[in-house]
């Protein structure tokens, strides 16, 4: 795999770790609130994140 992939993965892990590390109680509440959502809503959030992430990665690359 390319170095770009590993750099993006590393950045994603750093960004994902910020919430729990800096605001553990707010992060925990967010996860509790999210767990109360219907699966359809969670899937839609995930799909939007995938599309936006893919678009942003494509824009940065080009």
């Amino acid at each position: 795999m390319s170095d770009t992939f590993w750099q993006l993965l590393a950045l994603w892990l750093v960004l994902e770790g910020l919430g729990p590390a800096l605001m553990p109680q707010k992060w925990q509440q967010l996860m509790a609130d999210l767990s109360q959502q219907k699966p359809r809503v969670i899937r839609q959030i995930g799909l939007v994140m995938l599309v936006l992430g893919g678009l942003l990665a494509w824009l940065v690359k080009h």
Side-chain angles (χ1 to χ4, degrees), residues 38-59:
K38 294 182 179 183
R40 189 184 94 238
V41 173
I42 296 171
R43 184 176 295 113
Q44 289 172 342
I45 292 169
L47 288 172
V48 168
M49 291 172 69
L50 281 170
V51 169
L52 289 176
L55 181 61
L56 182 60
W58 181 81
L59 287 172

Side-chain angles (χ1 to χ4, degrees), residues 16-62:
E16 283 291 319
L18 284 175
L22 298 177
M23 300 174 289
Q25 291 174 330
K26 283 190 171 219
W27 186 83
Q28 189 176 31
Q29 184 60 49
L30 176 65
M31 292 299 108
D33 292 344
L34 187 60
S35 72
Q36 299 301 312
Q37 297 297 318
K38 294 182 179 183
R40 189 184 94 238
V41 173
I42 296 171
R43 184 176 295 113
Q44 289 172 342
I45 292 169
L47 288 172
V48 168
M49 291 172 69
L50 281 170
V51 169
L52 289 176
L55 181 61
L56 182 60
W58 181 81
L59 287 172
V60 168
K61 188 98 173 158
H62 292 88

